[in-house]
Amino acid sequence: MRPPSRELFRDADFPASDSSLFSSFSTPLAQFREDITWRRPQELCAAPRLFADDPQEGQVKQGLLGDCWLLCACAALQKSQHLLEQVIPPGQPGWRDPAYRGSFTCRVWQFGRWVEVTIDDRLPCLAGRLCFSRCQREDVFWLPLLEKVYAKVYGSYECLWAGQVADALVDLTGGLAERWSLKDEARTGGRQDGPGGSEHRTCRRLLRLKDRCLISCSVLSPRAGARESGEFHAFIVSDVRELRGRAGQGLLLLRIRNPWGRRCWRGPWREGGEGWSLVDPADEAALLSQLREGEFWVEEAEFLQEFDEVTVGFPVTEAGHLQSLYSEKELCHTQELPGAWVKGQSAGGCRNNSGFPSNPKFWLRVSEPSEVYVAVLQRPRVCTAGRAGRTRAPVTGDRAPWGPARLLSKDYQAVGLHIWKVEKRRVSLPRVLSSPPVAGTVCHAYAREVHLRCELSPGYYLAVPSTFLKDVPGHFLLRVFSSGRVSLSAVKTAAPSAASGEAQPAGEWETVQLRGSWRAGRTAGGSRNFASYPCNPCFPLAVPEGAGPRCIRITLRQHCRDSECHPIGFHVFQVPDGGSLGAAQLLLQDPLLSCVPHCHTQEVSRLCHLSAGTYRIVPSTYLPDTEGAFTVTIATRIDRPPSWRL
């Protein structure tokens, strides 16, 4: 027993008070404010333990807090002893140890480094029992202590109410996690066309991955008549089995664990359900005997119907290297660099914005054929540093849906990532960025981290992370995991140039202004991505004969306030000699020059040199039926012959 003269540790940074429980009193947790007390484990049971001898007794169980996403990720630690010891270092004094002083230390991965977090062991309780997470045996305390560490990192217990399983997996492993949608497979009955056929179905992947990594599944919307699945709730996929039915058919069954640890499943594969009539009684008895409290079996078709999403954490070897979910290759080469989007300098927005080239850029050199994962991890937009350098998440007072589907739109921007292959490091940036990338995210996502998987040949690559909107500041970490040797370096940025990217030459200029408007259903045809593009206004431009090409600046300005700008751009088409093509046919041809991507700004401009001939200028918004008024200004430099003095 501990000496009575020693006082137990009390964490002043995360005290046993409302400030550690609540951030905004905006969740259902607030109703228990007056009833929650704080107790140490030895005040809750006679012989508290950190871990159970039987792993089943240490299984996660959710309490009053809506942090199923975190608890599902915590289950990953039970599949790997080296991961568990990385997060909860062994050798810490327990409650029966004379050196026990009432404190525990855990490690959490935060933005590129493992951060040690120390807490006292006073835990929130209701009516003398733990009111948040607990293990199956309530004298086992590794889970509620780790939950308290995570609450301290995020600022309060209430800040854990809703989140993504993928984010918690990254925080507890330092690796990567992927989210796979089940909606498309549910619509097609699990069938997938193309090479590999059914071998590429999600459930078949899970069968192959079940022993190597943590698998979670989520319900993002309620199902009529299936209230036991909850709404915005995450589950653990604890096993996947392939059976042969009585009629010789193949059956794929998944064992699901509900962190609530209650509510029996009422589907056809419940105990006594009609689904078991399809299999041998011996198989039925064996599978049902494996179920623990809160677990149930579902068949593949039912799984695809009842669940919306699967999250899979990448396996981590004892050497600390990730393994590919697809090839099982060890991704033993890693690189990472911090970066930032700075308003007015390097926050260029997505590829629809003319400022896209100003985004942070990175050289990725691949030395041998490699499977490569490139990830962009963003910091929360607002964060405050607590004592001991810990990072605390932003505190907001807004209500949000509770559960794994909540996207922290106030904390994270929609981000994307594109990669181009280049012949050498000295390249023409405009030419590279206007060509198709070798890999890119399908869309910009409101996620803390997005990543790409690529099979890359040796050579140089240019990686460009971006936010969807222009001039949105933020910090990020670019991470690379590769099966072969790679190196990563930041591209040095040049001094910012004029908004148009080209300085206007000196001299006399002749200017013409043309006014126009986009009207829904008439002249608002949108960009060339849409069939309605030829409906846009079309302005003639004639360049007279001269000594050579004329220097011309074309400027498109929309008449609106900055906050109401639409993405705008324009194309210039050359009319062939004889003018045989009609306007609609002409606009289906490739333009001679363009001022795109469409940009959220009042004005876009392009300096060009045009030979004598006839042209058409076509201004457009990015989306069809977007109304607005605009002016096209055509400035032509006057080339006067030199004057001679005798």
Side-chain angles (χ1 to χ4, degrees), residues 489-570:
S489 60
V491 175
K492 293 181 180 179
T493 57
S497 59
S500 65
E502 299 164 283
Q504 181 161 312
E508 294 184 69
W509 292 78
E510 183 180 58
T511 301
V512 175
Q513 288 192 334
L514 306 170
R515 291 184 174 271
S517 62
W518 296 292
R519 293 290 176 258
R522 297 171 58 190
T523 59
S527 68
R528 295 182 70 226
N529 293 336
F530 301 95
S532 56
Y533 177 75
C535 299
N536 281 300
C538 187
F539 296 96
L541 169 64
V543 178
E545 295 284 349
R550 303 294 295 274
C551 184
I552 298 174
R553 178 176 292 283
I554 303 171
T555 303
L556 170 64
R557 181 178 182 82
Q558 58 178 320
H559 305 312
C560 64
R561 292 193 293 267
D562 284 341
S563 59
E564 298 173 353
C565 285
H566 302 299
I568 57 172
F570 61 84

Side-chain angles (χ1 to χ4, degrees), residues 68-69 72 163-166 179-183 215-221 223 229-237 256 303-311 403-405:
C68 54
W69 58 284
C72 287
Q164 291 286 357
V165 178
R179 294 163 59 193
W180 302 338
S181 173
L182 299 176
K183 292 180 180 179
I215 303 170
S216 172
C217 56
S218 300
V219 174
L220 306 184
S221 56
R223 300 287 191 272
S229 65
E231 180 181 2
F232 303 118
H233 191 45
F235 301 74
I236 300 162
V237 179
I256 312 296
F303 178 75
L304 295 175
Q305 180 65 36
E306 294 296 331
F307 296 94
D308 297 300
E309 186 177 84
V310 163
T311 300

Side-chain angles (χ1 to χ4, degrees), residues 32-156:
F32 301 104
R33 178 181 181 180
E34 302 298 329
D35 303 316
I36 292 177
T37 59
W38 298 76
R39 299 190 182 186
R40 298 186 188 266
Q42 65 269 37
E43 298 172 324
L44 297 173
C45 61
R49 300 175 290 165
L50 193 58
F51 299 106
D53 298 327
D54 180 357
Q56 290 296 332
E57 295 177 349
Q59 296 289 359
V60 302
K61 193 170 182 180
Q62 186 177 353
L64 295 176
L65 190 61
D67 61 349
C68 54
W69 58 284
L70 170 62
L71 303 188
C72 287
C74 289
L77 304 181
Q78 297 178 295
K79 297 175 73 75
S80 171
Q81 186 64 28
H82 71 274
L83 285 181
L84 181 63
E85 292 182 357
Q86 182 171 248
V87 173
I88 306 178
Q92 300 188 61
W95 293 274
R96 294 187 177 183
D97 194 315
Y100 164 74
R101 293 293 177 266
S103 66
F104 284 88
T105 298
C106 296
R107 301 190 190 104
V108 180
W109 190 89
Q110 292 282 282
F111 206 71
R113 66 189 182 97
W114 287 95
V115 178
E116 284 199 348
V117 183
T118 299
I119 56 167
D120 64 39
D121 60 356
R122 294 177 293 176
L123 299 170
C125 297
L126 270 178
R129 298 180 64 194
L130 292 173
C131 59
F132 299 149
S133 74
R134 62 180 73 102
C135 295
Q136 290 290 351
R137 279 193 58 124
E138 295 190 25
D139 60 351
V140 176
F141 286 92
W142 75 271
L143 181 64
L145 289 171
L146 180 56
E147 181 185 50
K148 183 174 182 179
V149 164
Y150 213 75
K152 181 176 180 179
V153 168
Y154 271 68
S156 72

Side-chain angles (χ1 to χ4, degrees), residues 435-457:
S435 63
V438 296
T441 49
V442 176
C443 62
H444 284 66
Y446 282 102
R448 191 179 75 170
E449 186 168 39
V450 298
H451 71 262
L452 292 172
R453 174 184 179 268
C454 320
E455 295 284 349
L456 298 182
S457 57

Side-chain angles (χ1 to χ4, degrees), residues 181-260:
S181 173
L182 299 176
K183 292 180 180 179
D184 292 338
E185 290 200 46
R187 285 194 292 268
T188 61
R191 299 182 300 276
Q192 182 167 333
D193 299 329
S198 64
E199 290 305 311
H200 290 281
R201 292 184 302 180
T202 298
C203 291
R204 296 290 166 178
R205 290 181 189 172
L206 301 185
L207 180 65
R208 178 170 54 85
L209 295 170
K210 64 172 184 174
D211 296 324
R212 297 198 294 129
C213 45
L214 186 281
I215 303 170
S216 172
C217 56
S218 300
V219 174
L220 306 184
S221 56
R223 300 287 191 272
R227 287 173 296 173
E228 65 272 19
S229 65
E231 180 181 2
F232 303 118
H233 191 45
F235 301 74
I236 300 162
V237 179
S238 50
D239 198 5
V240 186
R241 292 293 182 90
E242 193 169 26
L243 300 178
R244 185 65 58 186
R246 288 183 174 182
Q249 77 278 27
L251 293 170
L252 196 67
L253 297 182
L254 299 94
R255 193 170 86 215
I256 312 296
R257 184 188 311 147
N258 188 338
W260 285 333

